Amino acid sequence: GAVVSQHPSRVICKSGTSVKIECRSLDFQATTMFWYRQFPKKSLMLMATSNEGSKATYEQGVEKDKFLINHASLTLSTLTVTSAHPEDSSFYICSAREGGQGVNNQPQHFGDGTRLSIL
Amino acid sequence: GNSVTQMEGPVTLSEEAFLTINCTYTATGYPSLFWYVQYPGEGLQLLLKATKADDKGSNKGFEATYRKETTSFHLEKGSVQVSDSAVYFCALGGGSNYKLTFGKGTLLTVNP
């Protein structure tokens, strides 16, 4: 089945550091990828939708300058948490949807998540 | 807008018990419905899906039927196993860019 690889799986770093998380679709092309944030014992909160070759679409309340998204190819999207602070500590999950733009009813396939801890 | 309401749990069952996790939704248009499962420390895995009314999604003994008249997509399994212990998310897909709207998740614990 469709595989999405997310790296790294865990990051611990000091306050003020910028952290990059990669999301790769390994065996399919994904024009659209999504970035979620999950708080403990809570559901997933969509942060942004990443479209290959264009700017990401951010959800209301998500800071664009804080969470930089780049979707440079059909198999890779990156999320950079800039100048991270303890309140940015969370579980970040990416997903990728099979098919190109306009193919909207394919399921999303999720990475295994990145546990980010800012000291 | 779209929304998903699911039984919050936690749900604790003995092995081989029958499982039902309720899920209802509100949506415009004709959404697709999904159940995802999340094992501890991992991302989400697609468990099953249904793309139109009366469709039944099934996988690994789990099943759910897309009921438009009751706007529901309840998850069922006839005999749960310890390995089914996880968090289950009901989700709805629709709208521009086909974003997923998730329920809050239901923690299932199956005891031997």
Side-chain angles (χ1 to χ4, degrees):
Chain A
V3 177
V4 173
S5 172
Q6 188 172 338
H7 178 81
S9 58
R10 187 175 182 95
V11 179
I12 302 172
C13 57
K14 293 181 180 179
S15 186
T17 307
S18 290
V19 178
K20 180 185 282 190
I21 303 170
E22 292 186 348
C23 181
R24 293 180 185 272
S25 56
L26 296 187
D27 52 1
F28 65 98
Q29 292 186 332
T31 303
T32 304
M33 292 185 174
F34 301 86
W35 287 96
Y36 297 85
R37 184 171 178 177
Q38 185 179 31
F39 294 95
K41 299 183 180 179
K42 298 288 185 184
S43 189
L44 281 74
M45 180 191 79
L46 179 65
M47 298 174 66
T49 302
S50 170
N51 291 304
E52 186 265 337
S54 63
K55 290 183 180 179
T57 304
Y58 290 81
E59 295 300 302
Q60 193 172 10
V62 177
E63 298 176 60
K64 299 178 184 182
D65 296 332
K66 176 74 169 176
F67 299 100
L68 299 179
I69 291 172
N70 186 297
H71 194 155
S73 77
L74 286 171
T75 58
L76 173 64
S77 175
T78 60
L79 167 69
T80 301
V81 184
T82 61
S83 187
H85 291 285
E87 59 267 27
D88 299 322
S89 299
S90 193
F91 193 54
Y92 293 87
I93 306 176
C94 74
S95 72
R97 189 178 66 213
E98 295 183 62
Q101 284 182 342
V103 181
N104 280 338
N105 63 350
Q106 293 299 312
Q108 292 180 26
H109 301 284
F110 286 78
D112 281 341
T114 297
R115 174 74 59 194
L116 176 61
S117 300
I118 308 299
L119 306 176
Chain B
N2 296 340
S3 68
V4 175
T5 303
Q6 69 177 99
M7 202 165 102
E8 286 198 27
V11 174
T12 302
L13 296 173
S14 297
E15 205 164 24
E16 298 184 4
F18 183 85
L19 168 72
T20 299
I21 302 177
N22 290 339
C23 172
T24 57
Y25 67 91
T26 303
T28 54
Y30 303 94
S32 291
L33 299 173
F34 306 89
W35 276 99
Y36 283 87
V37 57
Q38 184 178 33
Y39 297 101
E42 298 183 9
L44 274 68
Q45 298 176 25
L46 177 65
L47 181 59
L48 53 85
K49 68 173 183 176
T51 57
K52 61 183 189 297
D54 299 326
D55 267 4
K56 178 186 281 188
S58 60
N59 185 26
K60 299 180 182 179
F62 291 90
E63 58 182 36
T65 301
Y66 188 162
R67 301 280 187 207
K68 201 169 191 305
E69 64 276 14
T70 53
T71 61
S72 65
F73 193 56
H74 304 322
L75 181 69
E76 295 183 337
K77 186 174 186 181
S79 176
V80 293
Q81 306 300 312
V82 172
S83 56
D84 293 327
S85 298
V87 180
Y88 291 81
F89 291 95
C90 184
L92 175 160
S96 63
N97 240 337
Y98 215 72
K99 299 178 198 178
L100 285 178
T101 301
F102 285 90
K104 291 186 177 180
T106 302
L107 172 63
L108 170 67
T109 302
V110 180
N111 295 317

mmCIF file of all heavy atoms in Angstrom, chain A residues 72-116:
data_model
loop_
_atom_site.group_PDB
_atom_site.id
_atom_site.type_symbol
_atom_site.label_atom_id
_atom_site.label_comp_id
_atom_site.label_asym_id
_atom_site.label_seq_id
_atom_site.Cartn_x
_atom_site.Cartn_y
_atom_site.Cartn_z
ATOM 1 N N ALA A 72 8.500 21.126 -2.687
ATOM 2 C CA ALA A 72 9.299 21.362 -3.882
ATOM 3 C C ALA A 72 9.150 20.287 -4.944
ATOM 4 O O ALA A 72 9.459 20.509 -6.111
ATOM 5 C CB ALA A 72 10.774 21.485 -3.492
ATOM 6 N N SER A 73 8.693 19.098 -4.557
ATOM 7 C CA SER A 73 8.549 18.028 -5.542
ATOM 8 C C SER A 73 7.285 17.244 -5.252
ATOM 9 O O SER A 73 6.626 17.464 -4.232
ATOM 10 C CB SER A 73 9.767 17.097 -5.501
ATOM 11 O OG SER A 73 9.679 16.228 -4.389
ATOM 12 N N LEU A 74 6.962 16.325 -6.131
ATOM 13 C CA LEU A 74 5.729 15.541 -5.981
ATOM 14 C C LEU A 74 5.833 14.487 -4.888
ATOM 15 O O LEU A 74 4.856 13.799 -4.605
ATOM 16 C CB LEU A 74 5.367 14.872 -7.302
ATOM 17 C CG LEU A 74 4.796 15.808 -8.366
ATOM 18 C CD1 LEU A 74 4.677 15.086 -9.706
ATOM 19 C CD2 LEU A 74 3.446 16.359 -7.940
ATOM 20 N N THR A 75 7.013 14.347 -4.283
ATOM 21 C CA THR A 75 7.165 13.335 -3.251
ATOM 22 C C THR A 75 7.715 13.884 -1.939
ATOM 23 O O THR A 75 7.948 13.124 -1.008
ATOM 24 C CB THR A 75 8.107 12.207 -3.727
ATOM 25 O OG1 THR A 75 9.370 12.786 -4.068
ATOM 26 C CG2 THR A 75 7.527 11.478 -4.928
ATOM 27 N N LEU A 76 7.908 15.189 -1.847
ATOM 28 C CA LEU A 76 8.519 15.742 -0.642
ATOM 29 C C LEU A 76 7.896 17.063 -0.236
ATOM 30 O O LEU A 76 7.793 17.995 -1.043
ATOM 31 C CB LEU A 76 10.017 15.947 -0.853
ATOM 32 C CG LEU A 76 10.778 16.668 0.272
ATOM 33 C CD1 LEU A 76 10.750 15.834 1.562
ATOM 34 C CD2 LEU A 76 12.226 16.946 -0.148
ATOM 35 N N SER A 77 7.493 17.143 1.030
ATOM 36 C CA SER A 77 7.086 18.406 1.633
ATOM 37 C C SER A 77 7.859 18.539 2.946
ATOM 38 O O SER A 77 8.114 17.548 3.626
ATOM 39 C CB SER A 77 5.580 18.429 1.908
ATOM 40 O OG SER A 77 5.201 19.612 2.593
ATOM 41 N N THR A 78 8.244 19.768 3.276
ATOM 42 C CA THR A 78 8.941 19.994 4.542
ATOM 43 C C THR A 78 8.219 21.044 5.367
ATOM 44 O O THR A 78 7.639 21.996 4.821
ATOM 45 C CB THR A 78 10.394 20.445 4.326
ATOM 46 O OG1 THR A 78 10.389 21.670 3.585
ATOM 47 C CG2 THR A 78 11.188 19.406 3.566
ATOM 48 N N LEU A 79 8.254 20.846 6.666
ATOM 49 C CA LEU A 79 7.726 21.815 7.625
ATOM 50 C C LEU A 79 8.884 22.270 8.493
ATOM 51 O O LEU A 79 9.568 21.442 9.097
ATOM 52 C CB LEU A 79 6.648 21.170 8.501
ATOM 53 C CG LEU A 79 6.211 21.955 9.743
ATOM 54 C CD1 LEU A 79 5.454 23.210 9.346
ATOM 55 C CD2 LEU A 79 5.343 21.085 10.658
ATOM 56 N N THR A 80 9.140 23.566 8.523
ATOM 57 C CA THR A 80 10.185 24.109 9.376
ATOM 58 C C THR A 80 9.543 24.934 10.478
ATOM 59 O O THR A 80 8.829 25.903 10.197
ATOM 60 C CB THR A 80 11.172 24.983 8.577
ATOM 61 O OG1 THR A 80 11.753 24.188 7.542
ATOM 62 C CG2 THR A 80 12.274 25.513 9.481
ATOM 63 N N VAL A 81 9.794 24.546 11.707
ATOM 64 C CA VAL A 81 9.334 25.311 12.863
ATOM 65 C C VAL A 81 10.457 26.286 13.197
ATOM 66 O O VAL A 81 11.541 25.875 13.634
ATOM 67 C CB VAL A 81 9.031 24.397 14.059
ATOM 68 C CG1 VAL A 81 8.470 25.208 15.217
ATOM 69 C CG2 VAL A 81 8.065 23.292 13.658
ATOM 70 N N THR A 82 10.235 27.553 12.943
ATOM 71 C CA THR A 82 11.302 28.548 13.106
ATOM 72 C C THR A 82 11.332 29.076 14.540
ATOM 73 O O THR A 82 10.276 29.276 15.164
ATOM 74 C CB THR A 82 11.115 29.716 12.144
ATOM 75 O OG1 THR A 82 9.863 30.357 12.420
ATOM 76 C CG2 THR A 82 11.123 29.238 10.702
ATOM 77 N N SER A 83 12.550 29.256 15.043
ATOM 78 C CA SER A 83 12.746 29.785 16.386
ATOM 79 C C SER A 83 11.758 29.140 17.372
ATOM 80 O O SER A 83 10.916 29.809 17.972
ATOM 81 C CB SER A 83 12.566 31.314 16.370
ATOM 82 O OG SER A 83 12.905 31.869 17.618
ATOM 83 N N ALA A 84 11.893 27.836 17.485
ATOM 84 C CA ALA A 84 10.920 27.070 18.275
ATOM 85 C C ALA A 84 11.011 27.418 19.764
ATOM 86 O O ALA A 84 12.092 27.679 20.295
ATOM 87 C CB ALA A 84 11.151 25.581 18.060
ATOM 88 N N HIS A 85 9.860 27.408 20.405
ATOM 89 C CA HIS A 85 9.764 27.660 21.840
ATOM 90 C C HIS A 85 9.013 26.515 22.495
ATOM 91 O O HIS A 85 8.358 25.713 21.808
ATOM 92 C CB HIS A 85 9.073 29.003 22.084
ATOM 93 C CG HIS A 85 9.901 30.177 21.651
ATOM 94 N ND1 HIS A 85 10.989 30.626 22.372
ATOM 95 C CD2 HIS A 85 9.843 30.956 20.550
ATOM 96 C CE1 HIS A 85 11.536 31.645 21.745
ATOM 97 N NE2 HIS A 85 10.871 31.863 20.633
ATOM 98 N N PRO A 86 9.070 26.407 23.827
ATOM 99 C CA PRO A 86 8.426 25.270 24.502
ATOM 100 C C PRO A 86 6.958 25.066 24.116
ATOM 101 O O PRO A 86 6.502 23.923 24.033
ATOM 102 C CB PRO A 86 8.579 25.622 25.984
ATOM 103 C CG PRO A 86 9.878 26.369 26.037
ATOM 104 C CD PRO A 86 9.888 27.206 24.773
ATOM 105 N N GLU A 87 6.251 26.153 23.836
ATOM 106 C CA GLU A 87 4.831 25.987 23.473
ATOM 107 C C GLU A 87 4.632 25.347 22.098
ATOM 108 O O GLU A 87 3.514 24.963 21.744
ATOM 109 C CB GLU A 87 4.099 27.338 23.524
ATOM 110 C CG GLU A 87 4.660 28.393 22.610
ATOM 111 C CD GLU A 87 5.683 29.280 23.302
ATOM 112 O OE1 GLU A 87 6.325 28.824 24.269
ATOM 113 O OE2 GLU A 87 5.845 30.435 22.857
ATOM 114 N N ASP A 88 5.720 25.231 21.329
ATOM 115 C CA ASP A 88 5.643 24.551 20.031
ATOM 116 C C ASP A 88 5.818 23.041 20.177
ATOM 117 O O ASP A 88 5.660 22.299 19.190
ATOM 118 C CB ASP A 88 6.712 25.089 19.082
ATOM 119 C CG ASP A 88 6.542 26.577 18.803
ATOM 120 O OD1 ASP A 88 5.385 27.024 18.691
ATOM 121 O OD2 ASP A 88 7.566 27.291 18.728
ATOM 122 N N SER A 89 6.141 22.597 21.373
ATOM 123 C CA SER A 89 6.298 21.159 21.599
ATOM 124 C C SER A 89 4.974 20.462 21.319
ATOM 125 O O SER A 89 3.933 20.869 21.823
ATOM 126 C CB SER A 89 6.719 20.891 23.048
ATOM 127 O OG SER A 89 7.967 21.495 23.335
ATOM 128 N N SER A 90 5.050 19.421 20.510
ATOM 129 C CA SER A 90 3.820 18.742 20.112
ATOM 130 C C SER A 90 4.181 17.537 19.245
ATOM 131 O O SER A 90 5.354 17.260 18.990
ATOM 132 C CB SER A 90 2.928 19.709 19.321
ATOM 133 O OG SER A 90 1.622 19.207 19.182
ATOM 134 N N PHE A 91 3.160 16.851 18.790
ATOM 135 C CA PHE A 91 3.320 15.738 17.843
ATOM 136 C C PHE A 91 2.827 16.260 16.497
ATOM 137 O O PHE A 91 1.671 16.660 16.366
ATOM 138 C CB PHE A 91 2.486 14.545 18.316
ATOM 139 C CG PHE A 91 2.778 13.250 17.632
ATOM 140 C CD1 PHE A 91 4.069 12.740 17.581
ATOM 141 C CD2 PHE A 91 1.756 12.508 17.056
ATOM 142 C CE1 PHE A 91 4.338 11.529 16.949
ATOM 143 C CE2 PHE A 91 2.017 11.296 16.433
ATOM 144 C CZ PHE A 91 3.306 10.802 16.382
ATOM 145 N N TYR A 92 3.731 16.285 15.530
ATOM 146 C CA TYR A 92 3.392 16.803 14.205
ATOM 147 C C TYR A 92 3.281 15.621 13.235
ATOM 148 O O TYR A 92 4.165 14.764 13.176
ATOM 149 C CB TYR A 92 4.453 17.786 13.710
ATOM 150 C CG TYR A 92 4.494 19.061 14.520
ATOM 151 C CD1 TYR A 92 5.281 19.149 15.682
ATOM 152 C CD2 TYR A 92 3.744 20.174 14.153
ATOM 153 C CE1 TYR A 92 5.305 20.303 16.440
ATOM 154 C CE2 TYR A 92 3.763 21.335 14.910
ATOM 155 C CZ TYR A 92 4.537 21.394 16.053
ATOM 156 O OH TYR A 92 4.556 22.546 16.806
ATOM 157 N N ILE A 93 2.194 15.594 12.497
ATOM 158 C CA ILE A 93 1.948 14.490 11.566
ATOM 159 C C ILE A 93 1.683 15.044 10.175
ATOM 160 O O ILE A 93 0.937 16.008 10.015
ATOM 161 C CB ILE A 93 0.729 13.645 11.998
ATOM 162 C CG1 ILE A 93 0.870 13.165 13.449
ATOM 163 C CG2 ILE A 93 0.548 12.453 11.076
ATOM 164 C CD1 ILE A 93 -0.349 12.404 13.941
ATOM 165 N N CYS A 94 2.295 14.414 9.185
ATOM 166 C CA CYS A 94 2.012 14.801 7.802
ATOM 167 C C CYS A 94 1.180 13.711 7.137
ATOM 168 O O CYS A 94 1.140 12.565 7.595
ATOM 169 C CB CYS A 94 3.287 15.041 7.010
ATOM 170 S SG CYS A 94 4.169 13.524 6.574
ATOM 171 N N SER A 95 0.521 14.091 6.084
ATOM 172 C CA SER A 95 -0.187 13.113 5.263
ATOM 173 C C SER A 95 -0.033 13.496 3.800
ATOM 174 O O SER A 95 0.228 14.655 3.476
ATOM 175 C CB SER A 95 -1.663 13.022 5.639
ATOM 176 O OG SER A 95 -2.353 14.173 5.212
ATOM 177 N N ALA A 96 -0.205 12.527 2.946
ATOM 178 C CA ALA A 96 -0.117 12.764 1.514
ATOM 179 C C ALA A 96 -1.296 12.087 0.844
ATOM 180 O O ALA A 96 -1.680 10.973 1.214
ATOM 181 C CB ALA A 96 1.194 12.205 0.964
ATOM 182 N N ARG A 97 -1.850 12.802 -0.119
ATOM 183 C CA ARG A 97 -2.989 12.238 -0.823
ATOM 184 C C ARG A 97 -2.564 11.792 -2.205
ATOM 185 O O ARG A 97 -1.885 12.533 -2.926
ATOM 186 C CB ARG A 97 -4.115 13.269 -0.922
ATOM 187 C CG ARG A 97 -5.424 12.697 -1.449
ATOM 188 C CD ARG A 97 -6.503 13.748 -1.489
ATOM 189 N NE ARG A 97 -6.191 14.774 -2.462
ATOM 190 C CZ ARG A 97 -6.536 16.052 -2.319
ATOM 191 N NH1 ARG A 97 -7.185 16.452 -1.264
ATOM 192 N NH2 ARG A 97 -6.221 16.936 -3.250
ATOM 193 N N GLU A 98 -2.962 10.599 -2.576
ATOM 194 C CA GLU A 98 -2.619 10.077 -3.891
ATOM 195 C C GLU A 98 -3.316 10.872 -4.982
ATOM 196 O O GLU A 98 -4.382 11.430 -4.775
ATOM 197 C CB GLU A 98 -3.067 8.609 -4.008
ATOM 198 C CG GLU A 98 -2.357 7.666 -3.089
ATOM 199 C CD GLU A 98 -2.814 6.233 -3.312
ATOM 200 O OE1 GLU A 98 -2.614 5.706 -4.423
ATOM 201 O OE2 GLU A 98 -3.383 5.662 -2.373
ATOM 202 N N GLY A 99 -2.690 10.903 -6.145
ATOM 203 C CA GLY A 99 -3.333 11.527 -7.292
ATOM 204 C C GLY A 99 -3.003 12.992 -7.402
ATOM 205 O O GLY A 99 -2.454 13.598 -6.497
ATOM 206 N N GLY A 100 -3.356 13.577 -8.541
ATOM 207 C CA GLY A 100 -3.059 14.979 -8.765
ATOM 208 C C GLY A 100 -4.169 15.876 -8.292
ATOM 209 O O GLY A 100 -5.131 15.434 -7.669
ATOM 210 N N GLN A 101 -3.996 17.151 -8.566
ATOM 211 C CA GLN A 101 -5.043 18.111 -8.196
ATOM 212 C C GLN A 101 -6.302 17.789 -8.990
ATOM 213 O O GLN A 101 -6.243 17.420 -10.154
ATOM 214 C CB GLN A 101 -4.574 19.532 -8.503
ATOM 215 C CG GLN A 101 -3.570 20.035 -7.493
ATOM 216 C CD GLN A 101 -3.156 21.469 -7.784
ATOM 217 O OE1 GLN A 101 -3.347 21.961 -8.886
ATOM 218 N NE2 GLN A 101 -2.584 22.128 -6.807
ATOM 219 N N GLY A 102 -7.421 17.893 -8.335
ATOM 220 C CA GLY A 102 -8.681 17.546 -8.987
ATOM 221 C C GLY A 102 -9.105 16.133 -8.674
ATOM 222 O O GLY A 102 -10.257 15.761 -8.835
ATOM 223 N N VAL A 103 -8.156 15.309 -8.184
ATOM 224 C CA VAL A 103 -8.520 13.954 -7.763
ATOM 225 C C VAL A 103 -8.702 14.019 -6.268
ATOM 226 O O VAL A 103 -7.766 13.806 -5.493
ATOM 227 C CB VAL A 103 -7.411 12.944 -8.142
ATOM 228 C CG1 VAL A 103 -7.804 11.542 -7.732
ATOM 229 C CG2 VAL A 103 -7.141 13.022 -9.633
ATOM 230 N N ASN A 104 -9.907 14.330 -5.863
ATOM 231 C CA ASN A 104 -10.083 14.691 -4.463
ATOM 232 C C ASN A 104 -10.617 13.596 -3.567
ATOM 233 O O ASN A 104 -10.690 13.785 -2.364
ATOM 234 C CB ASN A 104 -11.023 15.904 -4.369
ATOM 235 C CG ASN A 104 -10.279 17.189 -4.675
ATOM 236 O OD1 ASN A 104 -9.072 17.244 -4.559
ATOM 237 N ND2 ASN A 104 -10.988 18.200 -5.096
ATOM 238 N N ASN A 105 -10.998 12.447 -4.110
ATOM 239 C CA ASN A 105 -11.639 11.490 -3.225
ATOM 240 C C ASN A 105 -10.723 10.334 -2.838
ATOM 241 O O ASN A 105 -11.174 9.314 -2.365
ATOM 242 C CB ASN A 105 -12.925 10.958 -3.864
ATOM 243 C CG ASN A 105 -12.639 10.197 -5.145
ATOM 244 O OD1 ASN A 105 -11.516 10.226 -5.645
ATOM 245 N ND2 ASN A 105 -13.636 9.537 -5.682
ATOM 246 N N GLN A 106 -9.423 10.491 -3.043
ATOM 247 C CA GLN A 106 -8.500 9.465 -2.608
ATOM 248 C C GLN A 106 -8.175 9.679 -1.134
ATOM 249 O O GLN A 106 -8.138 10.801 -0.644
ATOM 250 C CB GLN A 106 -7.201 9.534 -3.431
ATOM 251 C CG GLN A 106 -7.392 9.167 -4.881
ATOM 252 C CD GLN A 106 -7.889 7.746 -5.037
ATOM 253 O OE1 GLN A 106 -7.363 6.821 -4.430
ATOM 254 N NE2 GLN A 106 -8.925 7.578 -5.843
ATOM 255 N N PRO A 107 -7.935 8.603 -0.395
ATOM 256 C CA PRO A 107 -7.643 8.765 1.034
ATOM 257 C C PRO A 107 -6.276 9.389 1.256
ATOM 258 O O PRO A 107 -5.402 9.324 0.392
ATOM 259 C CB PRO A 107 -7.670 7.329 1.557
ATOM 260 C CG PRO A 107 -7.356 6.486 0.373
ATOM 261 C CD PRO A 107 -7.938 7.187 -0.808
ATOM 262 N N GLN A 108 -6.117 9.965 2.428
ATOM 263 C CA GLN A 108 -4.818 10.475 2.827
ATOM 264 C C GLN A 108 -4.059 9.352 3.528
ATOM 265 O O GLN A 108 -4.632 8.572 4.273
ATOM 266 C CB GLN A 108 -4.985 11.663 3.769
ATOM 267 C CG GLN A 108 -5.569 12.890 3.099
ATOM 268 C CD GLN A 108 -5.710 14.052 4.060
ATOM 269 O OE1 GLN A 108 -5.003 14.165 5.058
ATOM 270 N NE2 GLN A 108 -6.642 14.949 3.758
ATOM 271 N N HIS A 109 -2.758 9.310 3.275
ATOM 272 C CA HIS A 109 -1.890 8.342 3.936
ATOM 273 C C HIS A 109 -0.957 9.111 4.855
ATOM 274 O O HIS A 109 -0.353 10.095 4.438
ATOM 275 C CB HIS A 109 -1.113 7.537 2.899
ATOM 276 C CG HIS A 109 -2.003 6.793 1.959
ATOM 277 N ND1 HIS A 109 -2.657 5.641 2.323
ATOM 278 C CD2 HIS A 109 -2.386 7.071 0.687
ATOM 279 C CE1 HIS A 109 -3.397 5.216 1.298
ATOM 280 N NE2 HIS A 109 -3.253 6.066 0.305
ATOM 281 N N PHE A 110 -0.833 8.641 6.074
ATOM 282 C CA PHE A 110 -0.149 9.404 7.097
ATOM 283 C C PHE A 110 1.252 8.883 7.392
ATOM 284 O O PHE A 110 1.514 7.674 7.334
ATOM 285 C CB PHE A 110 -0.971 9.374 8.393
ATOM 286 C CG PHE A 110 -2.200 10.232 8.334
ATOM 287 C CD1 PHE A 110 -3.334 9.795 7.675
ATOM 288 C CD2 PHE A 110 -2.213 11.487 8.920
ATOM 289 C CE1 PHE A 110 -4.474 10.597 7.595
ATOM 290 C CE2 PHE A 110 -3.339 12.289 8.854
ATOM 291 C CZ PHE A 110 -4.471 11.848 8.189
ATOM 292 N N GLY A 111 2.126 9.828 7.723
ATOM 293 C CA GLY A 111 3.429 9.467 8.260
ATOM 294 C C GLY A 111 3.290 9.036 9.709
ATOM 295 O O GLY A 111 2.195 9.144 10.290
ATOM 296 N N ASP A 112 4.389 8.592 10.291
ATOM 297 C CA ASP A 112 4.362 8.110 11.668
ATOM 298 C C ASP A 112 4.486 9.221 12.699
ATOM 299 O O ASP A 112 4.494 8.958 13.897
ATOM 300 C CB ASP A 112 5.468 7.071 11.894
ATOM 301 C CG ASP A 112 5.074 5.711 11.354
ATOM 302 O OD1 ASP A 112 3.867 5.482 11.156
ATOM 303 O OD2 ASP A 112 5.979 4.880 11.135
ATOM 304 N N GLY A 113 4.631 10.455 12.231
ATOM 305 C CA GLY A 113 4.654 11.574 13.163
ATOM 306 C C GLY A 113 6.038 11.920 13.666
ATOM 307 O O GLY A 113 6.958 11.109 13.619
ATOM 308 N N THR A 114 6.173 13.150 14.130
ATOM 309 C CA THR A 114 7.417 13.641 14.724
ATOM 310 C C THR A 114 7.095 14.224 16.088
ATOM 311 O O THR A 114 6.272 15.146 16.199
ATOM 312 C CB THR A 114 8.055 14.741 13.852
ATOM 313 O OG1 THR A 114 8.401 14.189 12.587
ATOM 314 C CG2 THR A 114 9.298 15.322 14.523
ATOM 315 N N ARG A 115 7.732 13.691 17.097
ATOM 316 C CA ARG A 115 7.553 14.211 18.462
ATOM 317 C C ARG A 115 8.581 15.311 18.672
ATOM 318 O O ARG A 115 9.776 15.050 18.699
ATOM 319 C CB ARG A 115 7.765 13.099 19.482
ATOM 320 C CG ARG A 115 7.746 13.540 20.940
ATOM 321 C CD ARG A 115 6.354 13.860 21.416
ATOM 322 N NE ARG A 115 5.452 12.724 21.283
ATOM 323 C CZ ARG A 115 4.135 12.818 21.372
ATOM 324 N NH1 ARG A 115 3.565 13.996 21.600
ATOM 325 N NH2 ARG A 115 3.385 11.758 21.252
ATOM 326 N N LEU A 116 8.128 16.546 18.757
ATOM 327 C CA LEU A 116 9.024 17.694 18.933
ATOM 328 C C LEU A 116 8.968 18.167 20.381
ATOM 329 O O LEU A 116 7.883 18.466 20.892
ATOM 330 C CB LEU A 116 8.606 18.831 17.996
ATOM 331 C CG LEU A 116 9.379 20.145 18.116
ATOM 332 C CD1 LEU A 116 10.854 19.942 17.802
ATOM 333 C CD2 LEU A 116 8.781 21.211 17.206
#
